[in-house]
Amino acid sequence: MMLAVVAFSCTQPKDKTATATVGTDMPALFERQGELAKAVEWERTKSKVAELKQKITSHPSEVKPRLQLATIYLSEARITGEHPYYYPAVLSILDGVLTIDPNNFEATTFKASVKMSQHQFAEARTLARQARNINPNNAYVYGVLVDANVELGNYDEAVTMSDTMQRLKPSLESYSRASYLREIYGNYPGAIAVMKLAVQAGLPGSEPQCWSKTTLGYLYETTGKLKEAEMQYNEILAMRPSYAFALRGLARIHKSRKEYDKALALLAQAAGIMPEFSFHEDMADIYALQGQTEKARTKYAEVVKMLEEDAKSGHAVDLELCKLFTKSGQWELAQAYGLKEYQKRPKNIDVNQALAWVYFNQKNFQKARQHMQVALRTGNKDPERLQQAGAIEIALGHVPQQKKLLAEAQKN
C-alpha cells in the first residue's frame, strides 16, 4: 500500500471512483447529504473514521483499524446507496490488509461480501471458500456462501450453508437468510415466521433491523397482507425517518390501491435520499400504468444510464438491464443481456424467469416454457412468476396447467 500520508478529511471527493489505496492513504468518507446527514449516528461515524485514519497513520502495519474502516464504509454503502464509490473504496482497503496479511480471514470474507454486492457471484463464492478454509467456525462466512450459492442457483448447497450458519450463531443475519430460502422454496408462512425472529434479534432503529422489517413487510405484501406490511413500513419510519426502502414499501402499498400520485411522491422522496435505481424504475412502472407512455420511456432510459454508471465501478447489472429492456419493449436488447447473465448462472430461478418473459414477448412460447420450468423448479410461489408461467401455458394451449398455476398464485 502507498507510502504517502494524506489529511484525514471527511469531505466528499470530487470523483466517485476510488483510487487504489496503499500504506496510510485511505479513501475519504463520502459526505452524506440531506436527510441522511441529520441521522444521529452521522457525527459519530465521522469522528470514528477520523480516529481510525489517525491510528492507520501511526501504526501502518496494523490491520485492525483498516478492517474497522472497511466495516464502516460497508455500512455507509448500505445506508447511503453510494455503491459506485464505496465498493471500490472498500476493496482498496481490503487489498491493503491482504498485502500486510495474505491469509487474513476478515479481509477475505469482507472482500467476498463486496463481490456479492457487485453481483460477481462466482468470485464471491471462491473468496468465501478461501475464508472458510482459514476459519471454518465463523458464522459470517457461511452467510456469504448462502448468498453466493443462491445467486448461482445452487439452492440445496445454500440450505446446507444456512443450517451451518444458524448452528454456529443464531442471529439477525442467519434468520434472514433462512427466511429467504424458505421463500425460494415456496414456504411463505415459514419465511415470515423466521423473518420475525430476525427483526426481534436486531437493535431497534438500526439499519440491519430496518432492513429486516422492510423485508418482512415485503413478505406480507406478497401474501396479500397489506395492512401488516404498511404497519412495518410506518414503524420503521417512526424510528428512522430517512430509511428510503421503507418509503418505497409504502409507495408499493399505494400503487396496489391505485393511488399513483401518493406512490410517486413517496418514491421521489426516497430518490432524494439515496441514488437507488429501483426507486426510479418503480416510478417508470407507475407512469406506464397511468398511460404516460413517453414519460415511462424517458424514465426507463434514465434508469439504464444509472445502471451503466454503476457498471463502471465493477457492478454486474446484466439481469437488471434485461428486465428494464423487457419493460420498455426492447426485446432484442433484453434477450442479449438476459443470455449474457444466463451464461454466468444458468440455474438461477430469477434469471430463467427474466429470459422466459423475454421469449414470451417474442412469441417464442416453447423457449419461454423451457426457462420458466427452471424458474419454477424450487416450488417458489411468487405471484408474478406464477402469473407469467400461466400466461405462457395459455399461449401454448395448456389450459389445465394454467389453472393450476393460477390456483397456486391465489393461495398466497
Side-chain angles (χ1 to χ4, degrees), residues 251 254-255 257-269 286-287 290 292 295:
H254 287 296
K255 176 187 172 185
R257 296 170 179 162
K258 299 185 179 180
E259 299 170 348
Y260 297 134
D261 289 342
K262 290 182 179 179
L264 287 169
L266 287 165
L267 289 167
Q269 185 180 347
I286 292 174
Y287 293 145
Q290 291 177 316
Q292 300 188 63
K295 204 168 185 179

Side-chain angles (χ1 to χ4, degrees), residues 84 120 305-318 321:
Q120 298 179 25
K305 288 182 179 179
M306 292 178 70
L307 287 170
E308 288 173 344
E309 283 298 312
D310 211 8
K312 292 177 183 178
S313 68
H315 191 172
V317 296
D318 296 322
L321 287 170

Side-chain angles (χ1 to χ4, degrees), residues 9 20 45 69 133 169 187 195 229 248 252 278 329 394:
S9 168
T45 298
L69 188 65
N133 289 339
K169 187 179 180 181
N187 181 2
M195 190 55 73
R248 184 194 184 196
R252 286 196 304 267
S278 61
I394 283 289

Side-chain angles (χ1 to χ4, degrees), residues 336-409:
Y337 281 105
L339 287 172
K340 188 176 178 183
E341 190 67 24
Y342 180 77
Q343 292 300 316
K344 291 182 286 186
R345 41 194 190 123
K347 297 187 292 182
N348 179 274
I349 60 177
D350 297 321
V351 174
N352 277 279
Q353 180 189 353
L355 260 181
W357 201 236
V358 172
Y359 284 124
F360 173 84
N361 282 286
Q362 292 176 319
K363 312 300 182 186
N364 188 342
F365 302 129
Q366 288 291 351
K367 197 75 172 176
R369 189 173 194 268
Q370 175 186 329
H371 284 286
M372 189 57 79
Q373 289 298 306
V374 179
L376 295 171
R377 70 188 176 91
T378 63
N380 181 264
K381 294 181 175 62
D382 177 76
E384 181 183 66
R385 181 169 296 163
L386 293 174
Q387 288 163 10
Q388 290 180 356
I392 292 168
E393 296 296 339
I394 283 289
L396 289 166
H398 302 160
V399 177
Q401 290 91 327
Q402 185 269 345
K403 288 182 177 179
K404 181 179 178 181
L405 289 163
L406 183 60
E408 285 293 328

